[in-house]
């Protein structure tokens, strides 16, 4: 299954599979209904997103079928009060950009942090 979330399956390494497995053994959410209620109520979700004032950079895998790029663009548009918004598209990447392409994501974040210095 994890391989299907990668834009390029050959980037999936055995140590990543082990990490993914181990991190998904975490304790179950103590209040799954509450968590679902927060995200299922559009008005509440939009109110939280409107509270974001900081600059935002969204890094999106364009081969993500779980959260397709159109959803990332929608999220960007919902951040109406963010100081700035940017959407960075990684064409050959799937659902987990930092896992699939860590060097590229690190370089993007580094450049983003340094941009106003």
């Amino acid at each position: 299954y994890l391989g299907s979330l990668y834009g390029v399956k050959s980037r999936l390494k055995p140590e990543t599979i082990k990490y993914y497995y181990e991190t998904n053994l975490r304790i179950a959410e103590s209040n799954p209904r509450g968590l679902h209620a927060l995200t299922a109520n559009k008005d509440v979700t939009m109110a939280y997103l409107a509270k974001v004032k900081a600059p935002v950079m969204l890094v999106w895998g364009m081969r993500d079928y779980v959260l397709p790029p159109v959803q990332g663009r929608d999220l960007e548009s919902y951040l109406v009060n963010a100081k700035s918004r940017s959407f960075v598209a990684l064409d050959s990447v799937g659902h987990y950009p930092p896992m699939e392409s860590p060097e590229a994501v690190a370089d993007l974040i580094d450049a983003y942090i340094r941009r106003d210095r």
Side-chain angles (χ1 to χ4, degrees):
Y1 170 75
L2 185 58
S4 73
L5 299 175
Y6 271 56
V8 177
K9 287 184 184 182
S10 63
R11 291 185 187 138
L12 181 57
K13 307 291 184 223
E15 58 271 16
T16 305
I17 295 168
K18 182 178 188 274
Y19 170 82
Y20 183 82
Y21 174 77
E22 289 172 353
T23 58
N24 281 285
L25 292 174
R26 64 187 176 271
I27 297 170
E29 171 61 41
S30 61
N31 185 4
R33 286 185 179 179
L35 182 61
H36 178 71
L38 279 175
T39 58
N41 185 318
K42 184 177 181 181
D43 293 334
V44 171
T45 300
M46 297 305 278
Y48 276 116
L49 292 172
K51 290 180 182 181
V52 175
K53 307 274 191 245
V56 176
M57 176 180 64
L58 300 169
V59 178
W60 217 269
M62 300 307 281
R63 293 186 181 179
D64 186 348
Y65 68 87
V66 176
L67 295 171
V70 68
Q71 291 180 325
R73 291 290 189 186
D74 288 346
L75 175 57
E76 179 187 21
S77 74
Y78 300 152
L79 295 163
V80 295
N81 294 312
K83 182 177 178 182
S84 64
R85 300 174 293 184
S86 60
F87 183 92
V88 180
L90 298 179
D91 291 330
S92 69
V93 176
H95 186 64
Y96 293 118
M99 290 173 68
E100 185 175 349
S101 194
E103 294 84 9
V105 172
D107 289 347
L108 287 167
I109 293 169
D110 183 59
Y112 186 76
I113 291 170
R114 293 174 185 271
R115 77 191 188 291
D116 292 330
R117 290 187 180 180

